[in-house]
Structures are given as structure tokens and as C-alpha cells.
Amino acid sequence: DYINSDKPFMVFYATVSGHAGYSFSENAMARKHKEEIEKFWKGGFVMSLQQVSPNFVIDERNRNLIGAIYTWIWSNLGRFPPGVLDPHKGLLLWGEIGTGKTTLLKGIQRYLATINQIAYGFRASNICIEIRSAAEIALRYSIDGINALDYWTDRNMAGNLAIDEIGREELSKHFGTSCNVVQTVLQLRYEQRHNILTLGSTNMDMAHPDEFRERYGDYIMDRAKEMFNFVKVGGGSRRR
């Protein structure tokens, strides 16, 4: 309307230096507008989840969980003090079918991409997360063999990874050579756990992880405790 009008108007713009600290502890302007900033970023997380699942709502079944994950994201980035989830570990979301585990993983992925765009000007691609299903990774092995796993395990190539539906993959074979693919990927990523994050989802009960232990062995079970926060996603199925 203004552009097509003959009335004069003013345009204001602002630039943000990439050299200053913008946490609440480092920047007076951030502290002054802390409430508005937190509202903006919390709303962004909800929006990211709703972009994945338009019917997503925060209610009494998931309010504490969403808050814990939100704090985990920002504490992992060094912006918040740690909450109930260890920011140095990834997340293994577990629970019954339909409770929203995959929605949460995809929402986290979108939110981190938004943070990379707005807060870092696309300069922090290392905070972003790739999502692959366990079945897809197993299929890649059956087609291309062990070299197919390098993308997710080689220290010169691997980045943050979320493995969806752990436990639903079949034992893979490549020209007769069998491989427990998720076991292999977790074992190799464990060695790089201080440099890259691993997330996942599973329908297996991680409060009593007998099935996980039987499928992947004591060795991986022990290391999974160091790699992951085991996060129960309860509240019953949300599928409609």
C-alpha cells in the first residue's frame, strides 16, 4: 500500500554483528528483552512441531517433556544451563506406537535449522540433524555394503544423526555378509560422541531394556547409556 501511494514513508532496518555475544549473560540488550526473546524462541519450537504435525498441541500429557527438550536444545548450544536432560548426550525417545516420537525428532530437526538461519546466519550447519530410519540405513547396507555406513560413521564425514524407529530394521545382508547395522552404527558413533550427537526413537521399553539388550548386545547397551538421555514419550497414541 505504501509503495503504490504518493505519500512519503520511512523504512528502518537493523544489522546484527556476528562478533558479539548474544546470550543473556553476555548482552545487555538480550537481558532487557529476555521475556520477549524467550517467547519468540519457545513459539518457534512449537511452530516447528506444528509444521511437522499440524494437529500438534501442548497439553498436560507433554508439557514437561516439551519444556525439557527445549532446554536441552539450548543448553546443548551453550545458551542455557543444563536442565533435567544432559546436554552432552543425545536423545533416545521411547514409547508406544503413535505417541509422537517421530514428530518430536522432525520438529527438533526443523527448529535447529531455524536457529541456524536466524541466530547464526546459516553459519552453524554443524548444529543441524539428519534423520534416517533404521530400516533405510539397513537397506543402504544391503545395496552398497559396509562402505554405505561411512556417511554416518566416518569421523571426516559424519554429522549429527537421528535414527528413527530403532528396532524395526531387519538383519541386513550384502552378498551373503550379514550385519546388524544399527549395532555397527552406534558402536562407531560412540567413539565420536563428544563431537557429534546421535538421537533416535524406538518402540522398545528403555526402562526395562531387555529387548534392546538382546537385539544389540551388552556392549551397545552399556554405551547407549553414555550416548543418550532415555526419554519416555507417553500419554497414549495421538494419531487420529
Side-chain angles (χ1 to χ4, degrees):
D1 291 339
Y2 285 106
I3 293 176
N4 296 323
S5 172
D6 58 358
K7 297 180 180 180
F9 62 93
M10 301 181 69
V11 175
F12 297 89
Y13 68 93
T15 61
V16 178
S17 168
H19 301 288
Y22 291 99
S23 67
F24 294 130
S25 62
E26 295 175 315
N27 188 271
M29 187 63 71
R31 287 193 297 273
K32 180 178 179 181
H33 297 283
K34 182 177 180 179
E35 185 176 339
E36 295 97 322
I37 292 170
E38 286 189 335
K39 183 178 180 180
F40 171 80
W41 284 113
K42 286 179 179 178
F45 188 32
V46 175
M47 185 181 298
S48 295
L49 292 163
Q50 290 175 336
Q51 287 172 343
V52 176
S53 177
N55 294 322
F56 178 87
V57 294
I58 294 181
D59 54 29
E60 293 307 314
R61 293 183 293 171
N62 63 11
R63 190 179 309 279
N64 291 338
L65 171 64
I66 298 302
I69 292 176
Y70 175 82
T71 300
W72 172 84
I73 290 171
W74 286 102
S75 59
N76 177 262
L77 296 175
R79 301 290 180 169
F80 280 16
V84 296
L85 301 176
D86 187 338
H88 303 297
K89 296 180 181 181
L91 306 176
L92 181 55
L93 308 178
W94 66 275
E96 298 177 359
I97 295 173
T99 54
K101 300 180 294 297
T102 299
T103 295
L104 287 171
L105 287 182
K106 291 181 177 180
I108 292 169
Q109 180 190 46
R110 284 178 174 266
Y111 189 52
L112 287 170
T114 299
I115 292 172
N116 180 34
Q117 175 185 357
I118 297 176
Y120 294 96
F122 294 106
R123 298 190 305 276
S125 59
N126 61 304
I127 73 172
C128 296
I129 292 175
E130 176 186 7
I131 299 179
R132 297 292 178 188
S133 71
E136 180 182 356
I137 295 174
L139 179 62
R140 289 282 293 273
Y141 171 83
S142 67
I143 296 172
D144 297 323
I146 196 67
N147 291 337
L149 305 184
D150 287 349
Y151 183 72
W152 300 296
T153 60
D154 187 281
R155 67 179 61 253
N156 295 317
M157 300 170 64
N160 299 329
L161 172 68
I163 308 174
D164 196 22
E165 297 188 325
I166 292 174
R168 297 195 64 183
E169 76 283 359
E170 300 289 338
L171 187 67
S172 298
K173 286 188 177 182
H174 178 70
F175 289 105
T177 301
S178 298
C179 179
N180 188 327
V181 173
V182 170
Q183 180 188 61
T184 301
V185 170
L186 292 180
Q187 177 179 340
L188 294 174
R189 290 182 67 85
Y190 168 81
E191 305 300 332
Q192 304 177 64
R193 65 192 182 282
H194 299 303
N195 301 314
I196 54 176
L197 280 176
T198 306
L199 289 77
S201 73
T202 183
N203 295 330
M204 292 183 282
D205 185 347
M206 297 308 295
H208 304 90
D210 295 340
E211 184 181 356
F212 186 96
R213 189 187 307 275
E214 181 179 352
R215 179 179 282 269
Y216 302 118
D218 291 336
Y219 180 89
I220 296 301
M221 181 69 248
D222 186 59
R223 278 146 183 77
K225 296 175 184 178
E226 295 185 63
M227 293 176 69
F228 297 114
N229 294 283
F230 295 160
V231 181
K232 182 178 181 180
V233 184
S237 177
R238 291 178 176 267
R239 291 179 181 165
R240 299 179 181 178

